[in-house]
Amino acid sequence: MNKLIYVLLTLLITSITFSSPYSVKAEAVARGTLYEDYYFGRQINILDILNENKLLGNREIYRGKNIKVGVLDTGIDYKNDGLHVQGGISTINNIDDYMDYNGHGTHVAGIISSSKKHNNRTIGVAPEAQIFAIKSLNNEGNSKEKSIIAGVQWAIDHDIDVLNMSIGTETDAKGVKDVLESAYKHGIFIVAPVGNSDYPESSHITYPAKYSSVFAVGSVNNKLKRSFFSNVGQELDIVSLGEEIYGPSLNETYTYETGTSMASPYVAGVAAILLSANHNLTNSELKEILLLSADYLGAKTEYGYGIINIPKALNLALLKKNNIKLYNYKLNLYKNMMVYRKIMDNKIPPIL
C-alpha cells in the first residue's frame, strides 16, 4: 500500500505543461529518508557528496562564481536568505514581481545554488552562481507558449550563461523551438527534463528537452537505476538524481521533491561549476564535456550517456584551459570508450 501511495504521489509531482486544458500543481512530498552513504555507514544528502567531489588536486573548490543562471519556472521565493536572486521578470504579466507562490521554482533554484545549509545539509550545487528568476509559469504550474518564448528571450537579452527549464509538454511549438535555437546560437547552455510520464514507447521525451538545442536530463534513484517515471528515448543526454531531493520551498520551509524536474537543475548547477572554472567554454563544449565524462549506466534510451560525474567533467574543463594537448588526448580516449559502449549495447561484435 505504501508503495502504491508513493507511485501515485510521484506521478503528481513536477508535471508542468504549457498549453494544456488541465492543471497539475507542482507539489512537494515531505519525506524523512536521506540517501545512505554506504562507505561511511551514515545517511547524508546526496548534494553533500556532489559538493565534496568538487575538491580537486589543486585544492580549489569551484562554486559557480560570476556565472549567470536563469531559472525559467514558477518564480523564486526571493525572501529566502539562502537564495541570492539577482533579478528577474514575470513574463505572465510582464512585471518585475517574480515571487513564487507554487514552490516548484524555489526548490529548483535551491538545487542549483542555495548557499544556506539546513540541518547541516548542503543544498546548492553551485552556491556562488548568480540566480535570475524567469517566472513564465503561473501559480498552478502552467503556462502559455508566448510566456515561454518571452522568458527565453529575456534570458537572451540579459546574457544568461545557463538556462534551466524544468518544464515539459507534448506539444511541438515552433515559436518555442525557434527562440531556443536563437538562445543556443547566443551561447546559452539550455537544460530541461525529459518528463515524468513513463510511456512504454521507445521514445517519448517531452519538449523542450526533445529539441537539439536543449540538454535533456533523465532521473535515476539513489541506487543509480532509472526512475520508473523518467521518460526514455534517443534524445536523452544524461541522467542525474531525481528522487526525494531535499531543498528549499516557500516561507523558509524545506521539503523533498521527486521528478525529472529535480534532476535537471543538478546538471544546470554543474554547468555553472564548469563555467566558473573555465568561462571560455562554449555551450557545445560544455555539452561534449558533460557527455564524455559521464559514468556509463546502461542503454542509451534509458540512461543517455550515463550519470553526471563532477570531478571528471571539471578536470576536462580545466584541461581545456591549461593543457589543450592533454585535453584532446583525453577527449579522444573517452570518445573511443563511447564507441565501444555503443557496440556492446547493440551486441555488435567489434572488428579486431
Side-chain angles (χ1 to χ4, degrees):
M1 178 62 72
N2 289 338
K3 184 175 181 181
L4 177 60
I5 293 173
Y6 174 76
V7 169
L8 293 173
L9 285 173
T10 303
L11 290 174
L12 289 173
I13 295 170
T14 64
S15 175
I16 293 183
T17 60
F18 57 81
S19 67
S20 172
Y22 60 90
S23 297
V24 180
K25 187 177 181 181
E27 296 180 348
V29 177
R31 296 186 179 275
T33 304
L34 291 178
Y35 300 100
E36 184 174 351
D37 182 347
Y38 293 99
Y39 294 102
F40 299 101
R42 60 191 174 91
Q43 290 185 329
I44 58 177
N45 189 346
I46 195 68
L47 272 174
D48 288 320
I49 299 173
L50 292 180
N51 281 331
E52 288 168 7
N53 280 343
K54 288 185 290 185
L55 187 62
L56 297 181
N58 62 3
R59 313 307 297 170
E60 185 170 357
I61 297 178
Y62 297 91
R63 305 177 186 274
K65 188 174 183 179
N66 297 324
I67 304 304
K68 299 167 72 174
V69 182
V71 179
L72 192 152
D73 215 293
T74 59
I76 299 176
D77 182 359
Y78 48 76
K79 294 180 181 179
N80 186 307
D81 59 5
L83 298 173
H84 304 297
V85 184
Q86 304 296 305
I89 192 173
S90 170
T91 61
I92 299 170
N93 44 19
N94 293 316
I95 61 174
D96 292 333
D97 185 11
Y98 41 80
M99 174 58 79
D100 182 14
Y101 298 101
N102 178 289
H104 188 270
T106 299
H107 195 276
V108 166
I111 292 172
I112 296 171
S113 76
S114 177
S115 60
K116 181 181 179 181
K117 283 192 174 186
H118 185 253
N119 292 336
N120 293 318
R121 302 169 196 158
T122 304
I123 306 297
V125 179
E128 293 183 12
Q130 298 177 7
I131 293 295
F132 292 83
I134 304 172
K135 184 174 180 176
S136 296
L137 288 82
N138 63 23
N139 298 340
E140 287 71 46
N142 296 306
S143 185
K144 295 180 179 178
E145 180 182 337
K146 65 178 183 179
S147 294
I148 301 297
I149 293 172
V152 177
Q153 186 59 53
W154 189 92
I156 296 172
D157 295 340
H158 290 79
D159 295 318
I160 294 298
D161 297 304
V162 179
L163 178 63
N164 186 84
M165 305 174 67
S166 284
I167 63 175
T169 179
E170 296 182 22
T171 303
D172 181 4
K174 185 179 183 302
V176 174
K177 181 181 181 181
D178 289 346
V179 76
L180 286 171
E181 287 178 353
S182 176
Y184 187 82
K185 290 176 182 176
H186 192 77
I188 300 176
F189 184 71
I190 311 160
V191 190
V194 296
N196 302 333
S197 44
D198 184 37
Y199 282 83
E201 291 90 345
S202 59
S203 180
H204 201 84
I205 307 298
T206 55
Y207 300 97
K210 197 166 186 173
Y211 296 130
S212 60
S213 57
V214 178
F215 197 76
V217 183
S219 170
V220 292
N221 61 25
N222 64 317
K223 298 185 185 301
L224 303 187
K225 297 297 182 183
R226 181 180 74 88
S227 300
F228 73 91
F229 52 79
S230 186
N231 286 354
V232 300
Q234 285 297 331
E235 298 88 354
L236 174 59
D237 286 311
I238 210 168
V239 293
S240 188
L241 293 147
E243 295 190 30
E244 297 185 38
I245 304 302
Y246 189 73
S249 187
L250 304 181
N251 303 316
E252 298 289 337
T253 61
Y254 288 79
T255 63
Y256 294 84
E257 290 200 24
T258 290
T260 54
S261 282
M262 279 59 256
S264 180
Y266 274 141
V267 178
V270 174
I273 291 171
L274 301 185
L275 283 173
S276 67
N278 182 356
H279 197 45
N280 292 323
L281 290 173
T282 65
N283 51 8
S284 60
E285 288 170 339
L286 265 176
K287 179 177 181 176
E288 185 174 51
I289 286 173
L290 287 168
L291 294 182
L292 292 177
S293 63
D295 290 337
Y296 178 76
L297 290 180
K300 170 70 168 63
T301 54
E302 290 192 66
Y303 295 98
Y305 288 94
I307 190 167
I308 196 163
N309 184 318
I310 293 179
K312 197 173 174 183
L314 188 50
N315 272 306
L316 280 177
L318 290 169
L319 281 176
K320 181 71 169 61
K321 180 170 66 173
N322 300 322
N323 191 331
I324 192 66
K325 186 175 181 179
L326 184 55
Y327 170 79
N328 287 329
Y329 170 78
K330 284 202 169 187
L331 221 57
N332 288 327
L333 179 65
Y334 295 153
K335 285 178 180 178
N336 289 335
M337 290 173 63
M338 194 172 287
V339 170
Y340 178 73
R341 291 174 186 170
K342 195 170 185 179
I343 291 171
M344 297 306 291
D345 278 349
N346 292 289
K347 297 180 173 58
I348 302 170
I351 300 172
L352 302 176

